[in-house]
Amino acid sequence: MSTQFSMLLFLLIPYYALTPTTAEEKTGYLGSIDRKLLGLESKEKISHFRFYWHEIFSGNNPTSVPVIPPLPKYNSTTSFGMLDVFDTLLTLGPELNSTVAGRAEGIYAATSQTELDLVVIMNIVLTEGKYNGSTITFVGRNPILQKVREMPIIGGTGLFRFARGYIESRTLSTDPQTRDNTIEFNIYVYY
């Protein structure tokens, strides 16, 4: 028995000797990172962007597509249960034919049984100038009947790594027949 125990101990000692034992290694913490390695400048910036979203449900090439319709057994005035996916143009002016700055890609869902309220998950994908290829991501509650809605920026990529801030949205126009609409986004991003 003592020979077997000695043999087991002999086999286990190298295993435990190679197993990390410091507190940092047990928590997954690997240390501080040099900001320059991530392409971050020492001074953060805050910027204001204004874009116009053009959501089109009508025609042969809609930019927003309903994936799940609202459930009729619930309050139909709030569209509760509806889920849409979108890939819409973002322009510099409110006209659909103004200069394209990027795209808005994401999903929204009607999440309230008592008011017309959406939860929005959106990536703003910029395609022009020094911001080309960078994204700003926000997630938030969008009570669309309010004049101004505010949603938090939760991150980004490219020049907007570690971004934070908020987005204000305002509906400029809605066609009651087609539901096509134009919304102004004012983006205040700290990066």
Side-chain angles (χ1 to χ4, degrees), residues 81-96:
M82 173 204 65
L83 177 72
D84 279 28
V85 174
F86 58 87
D87 179 4
T88 65
L89 285 179
L90 291 174
T91 61
L92 296 180
E95 302 79 22
L96 184 57

Side-chain angles (χ1 to χ4, degrees), residues 47-106:
S47 295
H48 176 210
F49 296 92
R50 178 175 294 131
F51 300 122
Y52 296 87
W53 139 299
H54 301 278
E55 185 175 35
I56 301 169
F57 292 95
S58 61
N60 294 331
N61 192 22
T63 63
S64 188
V65 178
V67 177
I68 300 173
L71 303 174
K73 73 178 192 176
Y74 294 103
N75 185 345
S76 62
T77 60
T78 67
S79 297
F80 180 66
M82 173 204 65
L83 177 72
D84 279 28
V85 174
F86 58 87
D87 179 4
T88 65
L89 285 179
L90 291 174
T91 61
L92 296 180
E95 302 79 22
L96 184 57
N97 63 354
S98 63
T99 303
V100 174
R103 304 192 72 79
E105 300 169 344

